[in-house]
Amino acid sequence: MTLEIISPSEILFKGEAESVTLPGQLGSFTVLKNHASLISVLNKGVIAYRTPSGEERNLDIKGGLVDVDSNVVSVCVY
């Protein structure tokens, strides 16, 4: 799936990801390929994602929004 993480000033990541774990308002949740469509508010926490090569990456955020649709995960953070 494609993961896009943007802030108001820059693109933080754009590429393929095997999984993405996000800090939702009701708790952390993980998005995998073919996940159902959703929109969620994100709390302060860590976005953790794994690239197809197996590399694990983490990104601290203060909050944001995520939109999941058709194997595209779009995250806007602040």
Side-chain angles (χ1 to χ4, degrees):
M1 72 186 150
T2 301
L3 172 62
E4 302 169 335
I5 304 174
I6 62 169
S7 73
S9 60
E10 65 182 311
I11 297 172
L12 301 171
F13 178 81
K14 183 173 184 177
E16 292 298 307
E18 295 291 316
S19 66
V20 184
T21 301
L22 301 145
Q25 278 196 321
L26 300 177
S28 264
F29 63 96
T30 300
V31 176
L32 301 172
K33 186 176 178 183
N34 297 321
H35 195 285
S37 295
L38 69 84
I39 296 174
S40 178
V41 175
L42 301 175
N43 284 342
K44 181 179 179 179
V46 176
I47 297 174
Y49 57 99
R50 185 170 13 101
T51 65
S53 66
E55 182 183 359
E56 300 276 344
R57 297 183 182 178
N58 295 313
L59 178 66
D60 291 321
I61 63 168
K62 295 178 183 176
L65 299 167
V66 62
D67 174 64
V68 178
D69 189 42
S70 301
N71 286 319
V72 177
V73 181
S74 301
V75 185
C76 181
V77 300
Y78 53 87

